[in-house]
Amino acid sequence: MSGSFSLAGELDLLLPITALVPLTAVLLVSQSNPYQTLVLRGILGSVSTLLYALLGAPDVAITEALVGTLLSTTLYAVALRSSMTLRLSFPPAEPPSEASQALLRDWLEPLSLRLRLLSPEQLDDPGQSGPCHGRLGPGPRLELANPRLVERLQALEGFRRWQQGGGELLLRELP
């Protein structure tokens, strides 16, 4: 092994790896699906770790691997899991039908939202995580408190299917 280190012989290996960093970063910020950004964030951290290791900075590579890849990706996954759920209550006498639930899930899918229905007992439970975002009324009626969410849902194809099935989407102040 020689005593001096030269990047001249390593360029054919370093250039493609270095080119992956800005390419992955551009893909990361251009994604609309939050789950795809989670995967791309992990890839970006891994490529950066490899690049730092090849450039002879093992301390920076280890820090990037632990903090930039593992910790930040894990925290992002936890935040994503807890924030991408639409919590809806329903009247105790009229739980939503399976067809109505399936229609709602298909409607919410393009926004990467998961549907969580809360029974009246779950609403009274103080240990219940997160607020209720709206409620399913009698018949196919969806009442939401967030005007921006109402606008986004109305722009989706699922809204037309919801209306064709006799459904309504209302903006209401929830208690």
Side-chain angles (χ1 to χ4, degrees):
M1 181 172 223
S2 68
S4 66
F5 179 73
S6 169
L7 287 179
E10 306 292 329
L11 276 181
D12 41 338
L13 178 63
L14 286 175
L15 283 178
I17 294 172
T18 306
L20 284 175
V21 174
L23 177 66
T24 308
V26 167
L27 287 172
L28 178 73
V29 299
S30 66
Q31 290 299 316
S32 61
N33 185 334
Y35 297 104
Q36 291 174 349
T37 61
L38 179 63
V39 171
L40 285 170
R41 177 61 189 102
I43 292 171
L44 180 63
S46 300
V47 170
S48 298
T49 300
L50 178 62
L51 187 61
Y52 294 139
L54 289 174
L55 288 173
D59 54 340
V60 178
I62 290 172
T63 303
E64 176 64 31
L66 293 175
V67 177
T69 304
L70 293 176
L71 183 63
S72 68
T73 304
T74 303
L75 290 176
Y76 185 66
V78 168
L80 190 61
R81 173 85 176 143
S82 64
S83 67
M84 298 300 291
T85 302
L86 182 64
R87 294 174 194 84
L88 299 175
S89 65
F90 57 88
E94 268 190 68
S97 67
E98 289 296 323
S100 178
Q101 290 181 41
L103 193 58
L104 268 171
R105 284 190 173 90
D106 288 343
W107 185 9
L108 297 173
E109 186 179 345
L111 295 178
S112 302
L113 289 173
R114 290 178 293 118
L115 178 64
R116 181 159 182 216
L117 296 174
L118 302 173
S119 67
E121 297 84 32
Q122 290 173 315
L123 286 175
D124 295 336
D125 183 9
Q128 184 65 277
S129 63
C132 189
H133 300 111
R135 74 179 141 225
L136 285 170
R141 177 189 299 163
L142 177 58
E143 300 172 358
L144 296 173
N146 185 329
R148 185 167 177 237
L149 180 59
V150 169
E151 288 175 14
R152 291 188 72 191
L153 286 174
Q154 286 175 338
L156 297 174
E157 180 58 36
F159 177 62
R160 286 166 246 328
R161 289 192 298 267
W162 182 258
Q163 284 183 316
Q164 288 171 352
E168 297 178 273
L169 175 60
L170 305 168
L171 178 62
R172 293 275 166 92
E173 200 58 41
L174 298 175

